[in-house]
Amino acid sequence: MRYFKYVSFLVGLFASFASSAHAAQPIVTIEYSKSFDSVCSFFRGNAIKDEWKVELASRQKEFENLWKAAGPKLIEATEQITKKPFPEKNFTARLTLCNLPSQSYFGIGINMRYALRSFTATPVPMTYKVNTLFHELLHKYFSEHPIEHSVLLKQYAYEPERTRDHLHLLALQKAVFLKLNETEMLKEQITIDSQLPDGYYKRAWEIVNSTDTEYLKYLSEMSAVGITNR
């Protein structure tokens, strides 16, 4: 009897350890580098005004707190939907006031200009910028779990590459928001994304939202044959 209790204890301990190991999430550090922005501003030829820096400094904590509250839920929902983990890495999200788009090619950079009242009379909500960070993290996620041999992407071979590159990502982002019952957040994301220059995101959202269930096709492809471990 004592033997079986001991075995049961070990099995439970192992299961607990395995569960906690699986639950590990990437650590995201948020920072603003004045030196980076100074260099970037010099080479881009666009000045960064002091009032922008002051406002960003006063609101950086707001951004961090919003991410702290939302980020783990967004990541967990992503993993639950796809059954594929985020890479357990440390990421630095660099906030910038330089005239650069948000991106994930060189680390993660989040353009904060349009969230500032000192920059524009109609700033986007800070929640949108937090979800921009999630968007860029999803690019890292797809680089770890690439889409291969996509039938859906072949159907839109005539679309710009930047539009096609976002179809699975936006479908997944939509699924995450719906899973978390964040319908207003989804609406905010689509509305602001659709106002971005060149219309790539607008077109991608139009495709993903062409029917109520269109986004599910992309999720199905990820689950069945799309996302593969490298």
Side-chain angles (χ1 to χ4, degrees), residues 26-217:
I27 297 172
V28 180
T29 302
I30 298 166
E31 66 176 33
Y32 173 68
S33 171
K34 291 182 180 179
S35 59
F36 172 87
D37 266 11
S38 295
V39 173
C40 179
S41 176
F42 175 80
F43 283 103
R44 297 283 293 183
N46 297 105
I48 296 175
K49 296 183 179 181
D50 288 340
E51 54 262 39
W52 305 347
K53 297 177 185 177
V54 170
E55 183 178 353
L56 179 57
S58 70
R59 301 188 66 194
Q60 181 173 337
K61 194 65 178 178
E62 175 189 355
F63 183 98
E64 292 173 352
N65 287 338
L66 285 171
W67 174 256
K68 184 177 180 180
K73 297 177 183 177
L74 294 169
I75 291 172
E76 182 179 9
T78 300
E79 294 178 330
Q80 290 175 348
I81 291 168
T82 66
K83 304 299 189 292
K84 300 289 184 181
F86 262 84
E88 294 177 14
K89 300 177 180 177
N90 295 337
F91 294 102
T92 297
R94 186 184 64 251
L95 310 183
T96 182
L97 296 171
C98 192
N99 187 24
L100 290 172
S102 298
Q103 55 81 33
S104 58
Y105 297 108
F106 306 101
I108 294 176
I110 309 297
N111 187 309
M112 297 298 292
R113 286 183 166 202
Y114 289 93
L116 303 181
R117 302 178 188 92
S118 56
F119 178 80
T120 175
T122 55
V124 299
M126 193 63 79
T127 51
Y128 175 77
K129 285 300 177 182
V130 168
N131 286 323
T132 300
L133 170 52
F134 176 53
H135 177 108
E136 300 305 335
L137 272 176
L138 285 180
H139 278 298
K140 296 292 189 184
Y141 180 78
F142 278 101
S143 68
E144 187 77 12
H145 304 299
I147 301 296
E148 297 180 345
H149 313 299
S150 170
V151 174
L152 293 170
L153 291 183
K154 288 180 180 179
Q155 296 176 11
Y156 294 99
Y158 57 87
E159 294 284 353
E161 183 178 1
R162 193 169 176 189
T163 293
R164 289 185 289 112
D165 284 347
H166 282 85
L167 294 179
H168 288 85
L169 189 151
L170 296 186
L172 179 54
Q173 200 167 7
K174 176 176 180 175
V176 168
F177 288 149
L178 291 178
K179 182 176 180 63
L180 297 175
N181 295 316
E182 294 287 0
T183 54
E184 289 303 313
M185 192 173 289
L186 173 61
K187 187 183 300 184
E188 174 184 281
Q189 190 79 24
I190 295 171
T191 298
I192 299 176
D193 277 357
S194 297
Q195 296 169 2
L196 295 176
D198 301 318
Y200 299 120
Y201 289 88
K202 180 180 180 180
R203 179 58 181 148
W205 276 118
E206 286 174 350
I207 294 170
V208 168
N209 292 328
S210 58
T211 69
D212 289 343
T213 59
E214 184 68 17
Y215 77 103
L216 295 175
K217 296 178 183 178

